[in-house]
Amino acid sequence: MRTNKHAQKGFTLIELMIVVAIIGILAAIALPAYQDYTIRTKVTEGLVLASGQKALVAENAANGSAAATGGLFTGMPTAANGTAPCNSAAPSLCSLNGGVAGTPLTKNVTAVNGQTQDGHMEITYEASLVPPANNLLILYPQSNNALLVAGTPPTSAITWTCYAQGKAVVGAAPNNATLLQKYAPAECRA
């Protein structure tokens, strides 16, 4: 006897539709998460720029730099070419972008501003990265759970706290940050 067995030579329409549906569901879940992740990686660029100023703040705090001569940001270059060091009377902000309106520091970071009186840094991001109402990340230096004060050397090691919107207050540092937590690095979230 002869049997006629046909080997299947492809997928049925139902099988193909199931595969397409599964891919669609995975894409609907993965794409928003991937977009948040890419924004978060670009936000860390601001933290890298600010990290270069942490040593300056620690040095000025240890030396008791007076607020009237730039305080905790004495010597911070404010012009793009590395000139024009911060030397303004406190309380004021010294900016890494030189205060030039409309000129971002990088493609993603508008400016890194340092407050001369207490040494906190405000990182603002470009509107092309995050909405303007939610573009501020803040770093506060503290010693013994107290904010630094220009002209007064700290009595213990300086710790830095990063704040995104809604993070619980640590020590004496207030949280005025507006960057959404989903875009912030882990150390800046609640």
Side-chain angles (χ1 to χ4, degrees):
M1 260 191 166
R2 187 173 173 179
T3 59
N4 228 357
K5 291 186 180 180
H6 294 309
Q8 185 176 358
K9 297 195 178 208
F11 297 106
T12 66
L13 181 60
I14 296 292
E15 291 170 333
L16 290 174
M17 288 175 65
I18 291 171
V19 169
V20 169
I22 291 171
I23 291 171
I25 291 169
L26 290 175
I29 294 169
L31 283 178
Y34 176 73
Q35 289 169 338
D36 289 352
Y37 175 75
T38 57
I39 290 172
R40 195 176 307 136
T41 59
K42 292 175 182 178
V43 164
T44 59
E45 181 180 358
L47 291 175
V48 170
L49 292 168
S51 69
Q53 304 308 313
K54 288 180 179 181
L56 179 68
V57 169
E59 181 181 342
N60 286 329
N63 292 334
S65 296
T69 61
L72 296 171
F73 283 95
T74 300
M76 174 181 167
T78 58
N81 64 3
T83 61
C86 179
N87 60 6
S88 57
S92 66
L93 292 175
C94 287
S95 179
L96 272 180
N97 73 350
V100 180
T103 305
L105 190 57
T106 68
K107 180 181 176 184
N108 301 312
V109 180
T110 302
V112 176
N113 298 313
Q115 212 282 347
T116 60
Q117 185 62 33
D118 66 10
H120 82 268
M121 288 185 260
E122 299 175 354
I123 305 166
T124 53
Y125 295 93
E126 284 293 297
S128 60
L129 183 63
V130 292
N134 300 104
N135 69 345
L136 182 64
L137 193 67
I138 300 178
L139 295 167
Y140 270 99
Q142 299 180 70
S143 176
N144 285 333
N145 285 328
L147 296 177
L148 299 182
V149 177
T152 306
T155 56
S156 68
I158 296 172
T159 58
W160 289 86
T161 306
C162 179
Y163 286 103
Q165 183 183 64
K167 180 177 179 175
V169 173
V170 176
N175 183 1
N176 300 321
T178 61
L179 185 72
L180 299 176
Q181 287 195 18
K182 68 180 183 176
Y183 299 138
E187 69 267 16
C188 303
R189 291 182 253 156

